Amino acid sequence: DSGVTQTPKHLITATGQRVTLRCSPRSGDLSVYWYQQSLDQGLQFLIQYYNGEERAKGNILERFSAQQFPDLHSELNLSSLELGDSALYFCASSVAAFPDTQYFGPGTRLTVL
Amino acid sequence: AQSVAQPEDQVNVAEGNPLTVKCTYSVSGNPYLFWYVQYPNRGLQFLLKYITGDNLVKGSYGFEAEFNKSQTSFHLKKPSALVSDSALYFCAFSSNTGKLIFGQGTTLQVKP
């Protein structure tokens, strides 16, 4: 158990819908990262927050947004969902926003029908 | 563009034999390199990292990796493979902000 929690574990929804994925980092970690894992794209970095502020952005679609709240939990919002958004979404956390070990949550498997 | 590459999609090894999973990097500046393992239907687990210091890094579950600057490689090794080591292995490098850029992954199959 990494100490990073993600909910829900599974999510099945229809095209055009909007969903919210939630992540709670390890106690004491200020940095939260979101990654997408799919068969065709592999593991891709989406976005990073550090202590409530956006720190880095990767190949995140405009339909996707995220935020980190004062209690440090983070949410990833995916809207106008398409079939191609079906993937495993991981959250990870680390103590700070410099190169260091990231601890990954178990992931949320999103299926868009 | 900065990247890491894992040239083998799959590595097969017999239990008890040494294993190597290859990773090469193309990174400007200091390379911060990591290995993670993913078991089926699980999240990624940290194995080891190279930030600075000794080129031979020891990690979890008996794994180690050697940082080779001249060959720009960071291969993962284990002296004696176990069937339970069968999983998907990712090499990654970290940018200055900490975000990880992953290789495409290598499936390790250890046969009894």
Side-chain angles (χ1 to χ4, degrees):
Chain A
D1 184 2
S2 66
V4 178
T5 60
Q6 288 187 250
T7 56
K9 201 166 183 177
H10 300 279
L11 203 46
I12 301 174
T13 188
T15 54
Q17 295 298 305
R18 172 189 168 96
V19 297
T20 297
L21 314 184
R22 183 188 168 102
C23 167
S24 292
R26 290 188 325 154
S27 176
D29 285 357
L30 298 179
S31 214
V32 169
Y33 309 78
W34 287 97
Y35 296 88
Q36 179 194 59
Q37 185 177 29
S38 62
L39 281 175
D40 52 345
Q41 302 273 2
L43 253 174
Q44 299 244 328
F45 166 74
L46 294 178
I47 197 163
Q48 175 193 4
Y49 280 82
Y50 173 72
N51 204 20
E53 301 285 328
E54 183 182 303
R55 182 65 190 247
K57 219 166 182 175
N59 296 327
I60 187 167
L61 299 171
E62 283 190 13
R63 301 184 283 107
F64 295 2
S65 65
Q67 58 184 131
Q68 187 179 27
F69 294 86
D71 66 352
L72 301 177
H73 91 271
S74 178
E75 292 180 358
L76 178 68
N77 300 296
L78 314 177
S79 61
S80 302
L81 286 167
E82 302 175 359
L83 296 177
D85 297 327
S86 296
L88 199 46
Y89 291 85
F90 287 111
C91 165
S93 72
S94 65
V95 172
F98 54 74
D100 202 354
T101 304
Q102 289 181 30
Y103 294 90
F104 281 74
T108 293
R109 182 169 293 281
L110 174 66
T111 302
V112 182
L113 300 175
Chain B
Q2 304 194 95
S3 63
V4 290
Q6 296 177 241
E8 301 155 318
D9 288 338
Q10 182 157 327
V11 169
N12 298 309
V13 65
E15 188 175 30
N17 283 0
L19 69 88
T20 298
V21 183
K22 295 180 180 176
C23 173
T24 59
Y25 64 89
S26 175
V27 175
S28 57
N30 294 324
Y32 305 111
L33 299 166
F34 297 77
W35 276 102
Y36 282 82
V37 61
Q38 184 179 25
Y39 296 98
N41 302 312
R42 302 278 295 277
L44 278 75
Q45 293 179 32
F46 168 74
L47 282 178
L48 50 79
K49 65 185 176 189
Y50 173 83
I51 301 293
T52 187
D54 288 341
N55 289 342
L56 185 63
V57 179
K58 292 193 182 294
S60 307
Y61 312 120
F63 284 94
E64 59 188 29
E66 186 169 9
F67 173 70
N68 188 316
K69 191 171 183 178
S70 61
Q71 295 186 6
T72 62
S73 66
F74 188 56
H75 300 333
L76 181 71
K77 299 183 180 187
K78 188 174 182 182
S80 178
L82 300 172
V83 172
S84 58
D85 292 330
S86 299
L88 183 57
Y89 290 79
F90 288 97
C91 178
F93 85 87
S94 179
S95 72
N96 287 339
T97 67
K99 71 179 186 186
L100 291 173
I101 305 298
F102 288 91
Q104 64 267 43
T106 298
T107 298
L108 173 66
Q109 189 77 24
V110 181
K111 298 191 176 174

